Amino acid sequence: MAILKILQYPDERLHKVARSVENVDESIRSLVRDMAETMYAAQGVGLAATQVDVHKRVIVMDVSESHDQLRVFINPEIISKIGEEECEEGCLSVPGIYETVRRAANVTVRALNENGETITLEADGLLAVCIQHEMDHLLGKVFVEYLSQLKQTRIRSKLKKRLRETM
Ligand code: NI
């Protein structure tokens, strides 16, 4: 296993659109293991392959308090959305920034797991937020893009400044 480098907003590669996985093979399972290790090491609740510069439709997630309930979504599709809810979100690619985003309150997602089996999951609360947030990454969208242009500009300059300071 390996800890992968997480792209930091506003890296252009975060805007690439991921491709579907054709075969859930050993290379995908290896990617899933590395992504899970990377997510746990960074103390995140979700990570999309896009964030580690792999442009395949793969997501890992663990919203449990015990950090032992890894969920894997390969080629996820939302098959139903109900209601609306606002939630404060953060992202491993946008460190230190937390902003409120409005999303569907309840989603049903269909995906493949790491064994290539189809899973269907109905989610609400943090899990629903996380699924939608990570699926956005696969489409090249970062959560700050839901905010006003002014806020986005402020966040970009703040993060660029911080990046200069740490180099
Ligand atoms: Ni994120």
Side-chain angles (χ1 to χ4, degrees), residues 46-48 51 89-94 133-134 137 141-143:
L47 187 70
Q51 292 175 274
E89 298 186 16
C91 178
L92 293 175
S93 292
V94 197
H133 175 118
E134 302 308 334
H137 276 303
K141 184 163 182 172
V142 180
F143 83 107

Side-chain angles (χ1 to χ4, degrees), residues 84-124:
E84 276 191 355
E85 204 163 57
E86 284 191 336
C87 187
E88 190 171 80
E89 298 186 16
C91 178
L92 293 175
S93 292
V94 197
I97 305 289
Y98 299 91
E99 295 284 350
T100 299
V101 177
R102 180 184 302 248
R103 297 188 188 272
N106 182 299
V107 297
T108 302
V109 62
R110 186 166 53 208
L112 300 175
N113 65 14
E114 67 274 35
N115 300 316
E117 299 154 346
T118 301
I119 50 164
T120 304
L121 176 73
E122 192 185 323
D124 59 11

Side-chain angles (χ1 to χ4, degrees), residues 4 7 13-35 47-60 72-77 111-112 133-141:
L4 307 170
L7 299 177
R13 291 170 288 180
L14 286 169
H15 302 304
K16 285 193 186 177
V17 178
R19 288 188 177 194
S20 292
V21 171
E22 290 187 11
N23 273 310
V24 181
D25 56 14
E26 202 39 54
S27 74
I28 295 295
R29 280 186 281 276
S30 165
L31 170 66
V32 164
R33 285 193 294 271
D34 288 348
M35 284 173 61
L47 187 70
T50 308
Q51 292 175 274
V52 293
D53 202 22
V54 175
H55 302 282
K56 294 178 181 166
R57 294 184 59 79
V58 177
I59 291 169
V60 296
V72 177
F73 301 92
I74 298 167
N75 299 343
E77 272 180 276
L112 300 175
H133 175 118
E134 302 308 334
M135 285 183 69
D136 274 352
H137 276 303
L138 301 180
L139 297 173
K141 184 163 182 172

Side-chain angles (χ1 to χ4, degrees), residues 64-78:
S64 71
E65 279 183 20
S66 45
H67 309 295
D68 58 359
Q69 290 170 41
L70 182 70
R71 295 176 188 273
V72 177
F73 301 92
I74 298 167
N75 299 343
E77 272 180 276
I78 291 197

Side-chain angles (χ1 to χ4, degrees), residues 123-163:
D124 59 11
L126 178 60
L127 186 57
V129 170
C130 200
I131 288 168
Q132 293 171 85
H133 175 118
E134 302 308 334
M135 285 183 69
D136 274 352
H137 276 303
L138 301 180
L139 297 173
K141 184 163 182 172
V142 180
F143 83 107
V144 295
E145 289 165 57
Y146 287 100
L147 308 174
S148 69
Q149 285 299 333
L150 180 66
K151 265 194 174 172
Q152 290 184 47
T153 305
R154 281 188 189 150
I155 289 169
R156 272 197 298 273
S157 54
K158 192 172 169 182
L159 292 177
K160 278 182 187 161
K161 183 164 174 272
R162 201 187 292 158
L163 205 60

